[in-house]
Amino acid sequence: NGGVRVHGEGVVVLVDGRPAPALRGNLGAALQSMSASTIAQIEVITSPGAEFRSNAAAVINIVTKKPSGPETKAEISANLGTPHRRRNMSFNGSTGTGKWTFGPTLGCREDVRSDLIDVDRRTFDASGGDAARLTEHRSTFVPYRNLSGNLNADYAISDRGSLRISAEGALRDRPRRYTATTILSRRSDGLISTGLTKDAAEQDYDYYALTGEYNRTKLFGNDKLSARISYENHVTNRLSSDIITFREDPSPNSLLDQSWLQDGKVWKGSFDYRIDLSKVSQLKLGGEVEN
């Protein structure tokens, strides 16, 4: 159903040990848009430590493939499904020159999900006849298109320090359409009420993120410093309505309209400082600021 659970509990999903702007919004859809060719392994951590800064019962960490050096490599993969179903294409490459290493990725995906559900719920009297009846027809149609890209540039400052600049973005079009019609009746007096629910969510979840990261080992000894700053922008729009009409009054007795518009611009800065005390213990200090 698009949800992500571990042992029935909610999880936090990280990419290379850090929160990723690409996973904001609809998590299930975001994970489906990732290309398998960019993933080295997936770690499921059921007892996350304090370094993850999360109260979740479990953490899923997606470890991505890293550029291996100046050698130029490229990989292209594609899946051609039935019309508008599970089509995707991805590109993953790496190249370098001097102290610079570049790792671009590009992915696109197209999919359609649709559901039709009919509900017929009845209650019976002592003689076994119908006492009341509820019928409901639900339909959901969700076309999904996603175009995403990422470019990492790594610079080897020295044998102990490195700089990474990462630019990523995605254009997602997921216009969800949901309708439900409900009829409630009783045997004794017939129709009681009718209901109509409509939920239209444009969900144009576009985001852009620019990240700079500095890593330094042996700043004072057996330690490591990581500093990171990022910016992202995303927009989501949604409209929902419920109309319930009762037999005694043919006008809508209950009318509920709701709308959401999310336009988020997020600045975030963080750092981690780790000192290895021995082979089995370390001291770690971290901080994060988000606007």
Side-chain angles (χ1 to χ4, degrees), residues 258-277:
Q258 301 181 83
S259 62
W260 299 264
L261 176 60
Q262 181 184 22
D263 187 357
K265 297 175 177 63
V266 181
W267 287 94
K268 182 185 296 185
S270 63
F271 78 94
D272 288 291
Y273 181 61
R274 186 188 68 197
I275 303 175
D276 292 328
L277 302 178

Side-chain angles (χ1 to χ4, degrees), residues 16 20 23 38 74 83 89 114 129 134 150 168 173 178 182 189 198 200 211 221-222 237 248 257 260 268 274:
D16 294 326
L23 300 183
T38 65
M89 178 177 292
S114 60
L134 171 69
N150 178 280
E168 59 181 318
D173 182 19
Y178 171 81
T182 305
D189 51 6
K198 293 183 178 181
T211 302
N222 195 22
N237 193 11
E248 291 81 2
D257 286 327
W260 299 264
K268 182 185 296 185
R274 186 188 68 197

